[in-house]
Amino acid sequence: MVEQEEIQEEVEIIEETPEEVVEETFLLPNIDLSNWKVTLPTGSPDEVEPPEISDYATDDRLLPYMYNDSTDGALVFYTSPGSSTNNSSYSRTELREQLVPGSNSTNWTFTEGGTMKGTLAVDEISKDAEGKYHRTIIMQIHGRLTNAQRDLIEEDDNNAPPILKIYWQNGKIRVLTKVLNDLTASDEEILHTDAWSDNDGYTFSEEIGTNKFILEIIASEGRLEIILNETESIIYEDIHMEKWGVFENYFKAGNYLQTKDEGSFARVKFYNLEVTH
């Protein structure tokens, strides 16, 4: 017998691992634009209403001023000095509530009530020549005359004062509401814009800086409440709020820059925005 020597060759098997695939995640804001139009700092000024506003991600008119930041799921409102509305000298990229899409004629009263709640951040804003931050309005409740009220006081438009303006100012949230100059004014007299003035205002204690925060507005008959980060709130419940009940109202949200300084700008991010009535 001839012994056969079995020679086993050790073969090194190298398993190739596929290249690591990095999946990009795109985040979108939680905002339904069906009942909002937007005003831009361009044109005279330009406005985009529903349903066209829903195509903002591909609309060349909107792209420089209203666009998605898909890295953190925000809808960005960018503005700098440019075109302004008839009743202001400042520019804005700001949403205006429309209860009936495409129409400004249907609005709500404090008796009917309404809430607006948003998560947002003012992550970039310019400074003035002295190194102080500019300020911007991020939320509002604006008044509106009915057609009958407009005709009664012989006005050219339906504009009424904003009962509420909420500012990002020096890294804090500041609130201004209106007070009636003369509490004995007649029902007709209080319809005039110059019958109302800003109150002394209220600044929330929390410093929010450029961080994300939650802001909620609750309007009801004779009462207005503003809540920051679900912890600190300011309530207005007085004769001025009662008198305000004569007006119709609508919510506004976005970036209404309060300066015309050359080179100034602001960028406001909204992560979600909800309105209920």
Side-chain angles (χ1 to χ4, degrees), residues 218-270:
I218 305 172
S220 57
E221 187 170 7
R223 188 179 189 274
L224 181 61
E225 182 176 10
I226 301 94
I227 308 167
L228 176 62
N229 281 333
E230 302 180 332
T231 53
E232 185 180 357
S233 72
I234 177 70
I235 296 172
Y236 299 93
E237 192 171 15
D238 52 31
I239 186 62
H240 304 286
M241 286 297 154
E242 290 178 16
K243 294 284 189 179
W244 186 263
V246 68
F247 290 107
E248 292 186 344
N249 306 273
Y250 52 89
F251 285 119
K252 304 193 84 175
N255 182 2
Y256 182 14
L257 185 61
Q258 301 294 289
T259 181
K260 294 192 290 184
D261 286 356
E262 185 177 354
S264 60
F265 70 93
R267 190 171 76 164
V268 180
K269 290 183 171 184
F270 275 78

Side-chain angles (χ1 to χ4, degrees), residues 68-249:
N68 286 331
D69 183 342
S70 57
T71 62
D72 63 355
L75 179 56
V76 179
F77 296 90
Y78 177 88
T79 197
S80 57
S83 299
S84 59
T85 58
N86 291 335
N87 300 294
S88 173
S89 59
Y90 299 127
S91 301
R92 68 186 83 199
T93 303
E94 186 181 36
L95 297 173
R96 192 269 199 212
E97 180 187 19
Q98 292 185 320
L99 291 180
V100 176
S103 172
N104 295 335
S105 298
T106 304
N107 301 281
W108 52 273
T109 65
F110 268 43
T111 298
E112 294 165 330
T115 66
M116 178 165 66
K117 186 175 184 178
T119 302
L120 61 153
V122 180
D123 76 328
E124 279 193 76
I125 191 164
S126 54
K127 295 180 179 180
D128 63 19
E130 298 178 353
K132 297 179 180 178
Y133 283 110
H134 290 118
R135 64 177 185 163
T136 189
I137 295 176
I138 51 179
M139 285 186 178
Q140 296 189 72
I141 297 178
H142 212 289
R144 190 178 190 276
L145 298 170
T146 65
N147 290 343
Q149 290 171 336
R150 177 200 62 198
D151 296 342
L152 177 65
I153 62 174
E154 300 180 340
E155 280 291 344
D156 295 330
D157 58 33
N158 298 81
N159 186 64
I163 183 61
L164 174 67
K165 295 181 288 188
I166 303 181
Y167 296 81
W168 183 98
Q169 182 172 318
N170 297 322
K172 290 191 173 185
I173 298 303
R174 180 163 173 78
V175 175
L176 283 182
T177 64
K178 293 292 184 186
V179 291
L180 189 59
N181 297 326
D182 179 6
L183 292 177
T184 66
S186 68
D187 290 345
E188 179 180 340
E189 288 171 335
I190 67 176
L191 298 176
H192 292 271
T193 298
D194 59 10
W196 299 84
S197 299
D198 287 336
N199 69 350
D200 293 334
Y202 175 82
T203 301
F204 284 94
S205 61
E206 183 178 355
E207 176 113 23
I208 49 117
T210 57
N211 298 318
K212 191 185 298 187
F213 60 94
I214 300 170
L215 200 56
E216 184 174 12
I217 301 168
I218 305 172
S220 57
E221 187 170 7
R223 188 179 189 274
L224 181 61
E225 182 176 10
I226 301 94
I227 308 167
L228 176 62
N229 281 333
E230 302 180 332
T231 53
E232 185 180 357
S233 72
I234 177 70
I235 296 172
Y236 299 93
E237 192 171 15
D238 52 31
I239 186 62
H240 304 286
M241 286 297 154
E242 290 178 16
K243 294 284 189 179
W244 186 263
V246 68
F247 290 107
E248 292 186 344
N249 306 273

